[in-house]
Amino acid sequence: MTRSEENYIKTIFHLGRQGMEAVSTNAIAELMETKPSSVTDMIKKLSEKDLVNYKRYQGVSLTDLGTQTALGIVRKHRLWEVFLVEKLDFSWDEIHDIAEQLEHIKSDKLIDRLDKLLDYPKFDPHGDPIPDKNGDFKERDRKLLSEVAIGTKGVCVGVKDSSTSFLKFLDRNHIALGHQIEVLEIEEFDGSLNININENNMQISHQIASNLYIKISEQ
Amino acid sequence: MTRSEENYIKTIFHLGRQGMEAVSTNAIAELMETKPSSVTDMIKKLSEKDLVNYKRYQGVSLTDLGTQTALGIVRKHRLWEVFLVEKLDFSWDEIHDIAEQLEHIKSDKLIDRLDKLLDYPKFDPHGDPIPDKNGDFKERDRKLLSEVAIGTKGVCVGVKDSSTSFLKFLDRNHIALGHQIEVLEIEEFDGSLNININENNMQISHQIASNLYIKISEQ
DNA sequence: ATTATATTTTAGGCAAAGCTAAAAATTTGT
DNA sequence: ACAAATTTTTAGCTTTGCCTAAAATATAAT
Ligand SMILES: [Mn+2]
Ligand SMILES: [Mn+2]
Ligand SMILES: [Mn+2]
Ligand SMILES: [Mn+2]
């Protein structure tokens, strides 16, 4: 598989996750910052190789083979991200672009050894699950902070938006994965929240809350 | 720079090392397993970018810019090789192909952090020197085992041929870098050597001896 | 000094992956 | 139901990096 084919497969995988329906040509084009016509060209090639199901004008979805391929790439991407943070002391906002390159390195042995070096991590630095060698992974039971009730207590376990600007914002405000969170108040007017995080009270906008995942603590 | 451009620059660098004269189109083509006409095409592009000096029919040599570029790629290649051996327990015959891919990952910060993780190694697993961040490296004072006199004592410090088959041969015969070597006899007829290596006596062919580097011990 | 051989370059083409502009199909609005 | 708007595909063109075959130049042999 070429690098470009891998990137398309991965994009279709990510778009397909939220909802099982077919992924549109335009959605792929937008996410990949390319043109719809280029997407159509590539889809034909992927369809030819039985990586995607495709009927003209009907959108596209991954076959089982395509899904396994995508999981392999996602596994590599996320393991490299863990490596960059754990072994090379990168911060979580610096790793995505480098992992975009590293995910295309071809060597099963390499990635399995890396997995071992990192002690078989289950989640990446952004809280996303890492598929194992067989493509299996457990989606953690988590909720967006913007969708829980007042009084909810939990632990911050992931981010939905992992853009540099959002991650740097979190760093500046001392919000990190693993921190205890309690929702104290929710402002009707703009949906902003008053929370206690890691022993500190603070006010966060609805925007922020809708990009933070928490795992709700049992009572 | 594209991956292909980087591979050409690296090849020209390696061919240029042994002798300062210009490198021929055919030599590049052969080493890269491509056609001379393709080489000519690429040379023009590299010349345009001031990475090589080129006059038609006169061969090619790296400019200062080209040399610095090549050293950067060689640095990456060899650091990744050390990483694979030291951190992921690969053997020295498995690493070259993977390093061929990893050497093209673009991130200065990544490579400097890797250098630090490995504790700034000066030589790669085949005994080749690793350029530092500024492209400086010290060529070790070493000689081919085939070119020293009877009675010479030294330490095995490198291999000239680092093909899988040669490296596996060395493994099978318990020859490794760091081993003490003494030349006991040299057979006139076929140039084979009787040596003592790591406390064991053995007979090696001229072929083998001409691909092993030793650092001669002071008396 | 020619001729023969080997090397290098040019000319013309191909496949991958992208683009723009136009056509076709689908979806939406009235 | 039909027109309008949107989405998707097709057609045709570009660049990169490679190829083969032929021409040009350099080197070696007589
Ligand atoms: Mn990422
Ligand atoms: Mn991630
Ligand atoms: Mn190597
Ligand atoms: Mn090496």
Side-chain angles (χ1 to χ4, degrees):
Chain A
M1 283 197 78
T2 68
R3 170 172 305 228
S4 189
E5 286 172 336
E6 289 187 345
N7 283 331
Y8 274 95
I9 289 293
K10 194 178 49 143
T11 300
I12 295 167
F13 175 81
H14 286 311
L15 287 171
R17 284 292 83 180
Q18 41 262 36
M20 214 42 222
E21 74 284 2
V23 173
S24 81
T25 302
N26 270 5
I28 298 168
E30 183 165 11
L31 201 55
M32 298 190 66
E33 297 183 313
T34 183
K35 301 294 166 181
S37 53
S38 305
V39 174
T40 301
D41 283 349
M42 180 57 86
I43 283 173
K44 286 180 188 164
K45 221 181 308 178
L46 297 176
S47 176
E48 206 57 47
K49 294 190 177 184
D50 271 313
L51 292 160
V52 300
N53 305 116
Y54 172 59
K55 278 210 297 275
R56 278 159 72 256
Y57 293 99
Q58 299 301 126
V60 73
S61 64
L62 293 179
T63 61
D64 286 353
L65 177 59
T67 303
Q68 278 311 118
T69 305
L71 285 166
I73 302 163
V74 168
R75 168 172 160 79
K76 291 196 274 182
H77 182 99
R78 292 180 180 164
L79 280 175
W80 280 115
E81 286 190 342
V82 174
F83 170 74
L84 293 172
V85 167
E86 296 294 319
K87 301 295 178 185
L88 299 190
D89 296 314
F90 277 85
S91 54
W92 66 347
D93 61 288
E94 302 174 303
I95 59 182
H96 181 80
D97 291 346
I98 301 176
E100 285 290 307
Q101 299 180 63
L102 287 164
E103 72 189 5
H104 301 291
I105 301 293
K106 281 165 187 52
S107 168
D108 288 343
K109 193 164 185 175
L110 170 62
I111 205 66
D112 290 339
R113 292 288 176 89
L114 188 66
D115 199 11
K116 183 182 179 189
L117 175 73
L118 301 171
D119 205 18
Y120 309 103
K122 294 275 171 294
F123 298 94
D124 85 0
H126 308 108
D128 295 312
I130 300 175
D132 68 18
K133 201 197 287 242
N134 306 308
D136 299 324
F137 65 96
K138 53 165 184 287
E139 193 70 71
R140 193 150 37 181
D141 182 37
R142 61 188 187 175
K143 283 217 147 53
L144 286 176
L145 188 53
S146 58
E147 289 171 354
V148 301
I150 291 179
T152 305
K153 291 180 186 177
V155 182
C156 184
V157 295
V159 293
K160 186 172 174 202
D161 171 6
S162 54
S163 67
T164 300
S165 62
F166 182 53
L167 297 176
K168 283 197 154 147
F169 168 87
L170 296 178
D171 285 345
R172 276 197 305 278
N173 290 275
H174 313 104
I175 298 173
L177 302 197
H179 284 181
Q180 288 287 338
I181 292 185
E182 178 176 0
V183 178
L184 305 175
E185 272 185 81
I186 303 176
E187 176 57 58
E188 288 273 336
F189 180 62
D190 63 355
S192 66
L193 290 83
N194 197 321
I195 64 172
N196 180 287
I197 179 162
N198 211 30
E199 317 286 302
N200 278 80
N201 282 8
M202 67 182 295
Q203 192 78 16
I204 62 173
S205 70
H206 180 79
Q207 259 263 233
I208 304 301
S210 62
N211 280 298
L212 277 176
Y213 286 113
I214 68 166
K215 181 173 194 308
I216 298 174
S217 310
E218 308 302 328
Q219 240 29 322
Chain B
M1 284 197 78
T2 69
R3 171 171 305 227
S4 190
E5 286 172 337
E6 289 187 346
N7 282 330
Y8 274 93
I9 289 294
K10 193 178 49 144
T11 300
I12 295 167
F13 175 81
H14 286 311
L15 287 170
R17 283 293 84 179
Q18 40 263 36
M20 212 42 223
E21 75 283 3
V23 173
S24 82
T25 300
N26 271 5
I28 297 168
E30 182 165 12
L31 199 57
M32 297 190 67
E33 297 183 315
T34 183
K35 302 293 165 181
S37 52
S38 306
V39 174
T40 301
D41 283 350
M42 181 57 85
I43 282 173
K44 285 179 189 165
K45 220 181 307 178
L46 297 176
S47 176
E48 206 57 47
K49 295 190 178 189
D50 272 313
L51 292 159
V52 300
N53 304 117
Y54 173 59
K55 277 209 298 273
R56 278 158 73 257
Y57 293 99
Q58 301 302 127
V60 73
S61 64
L62 294 179
T63 60
D64 286 352
L65 178 59
T67 302
Q68 278 310 117
T69 304
L71 285 166
I73 302 164
V74 168
R75 168 173 162 78
K76 290 196 275 183
H77 182 100
R78 293 180 179 165
L79 280 175
W80 279 116
E81 285 190 342
V82 174
F83 169 75
L84 293 172
V85 168
E86 296 294 319
K87 300 296 177 183
L88 299 189
D89 296 314
F90 278 85
S91 55
W92 66 346
D93 60 287
E94 302 175 303
I95 58 181
H96 181 80
D97 291 346
I98 302 177
E100 284 290 306
Q101 299 181 63
L102 287 164
E103 73 190 5
H104 300 291
I105 302 293
K106 279 163 190 54
S107 167
D108 288 343
K109 193 164 183 174
L110 170 62
I111 206 65
D112 290 338
R113 290 287 176 88
L114 188 65
D115 199 11
K116 184 182 178 188
L117 175 74
L118 301 170
D119 206 20
Y120 309 102
K122 294 275 172 291
F123 298 94
D124 84 1
H126 310 107
D128 296 312
I130 300 175
D132 68 17
K133 200 197 287 239
N134 306 309
D136 299 324
F137 65 96
K138 52 165 183 286
E139 195 69 72
R140 196 153 29 185
D141 181 38
R142 62 190 187 176
K143 283 215 146 56
L144 285 175
L145 187 52
S146 58
E147 290 171 354
V148 301
I150 291 179
T152 304
K153 292 179 184 176
V155 182
C156 183
V157 295
V159 294
K160 187 171 174 200
D161 172 5
S162 54
S163 68
T164 299
S165 62
F166 183 54
L167 298 177
K168 282 194 154 149
F169 167 87
L170 296 179
D171 284 345
R172 277 197 305 279
N173 289 277
H174 313 104
I175 298 173
L177 302 198
H179 284 180
Q180 287 287 337
I181 291 184
E182 178 175 359
V183 178
L184 304 173
E185 272 185 80
I186 302 176
E187 177 57 58
E188 287 273 337
F189 180 62
D190 64 354
S192 67
L193 290 85
N194 197 321
I195 63 172
N196 179 286
I197 179 162
N198 212 29
E199 318 284 303
N200 279 80
N201 281 9
M202 68 182 294
Q203 192 79 13
I204 62 173
S205 70
H206 181 79
Q207 258 264 229
I208 304 300
S210 63
N211 281 298
L212 278 177
Y213 286 113
I214 68 166
K215 181 174 192 311
I216 298 175
S217 310
E218 307 303 329
Q219 245 24 326

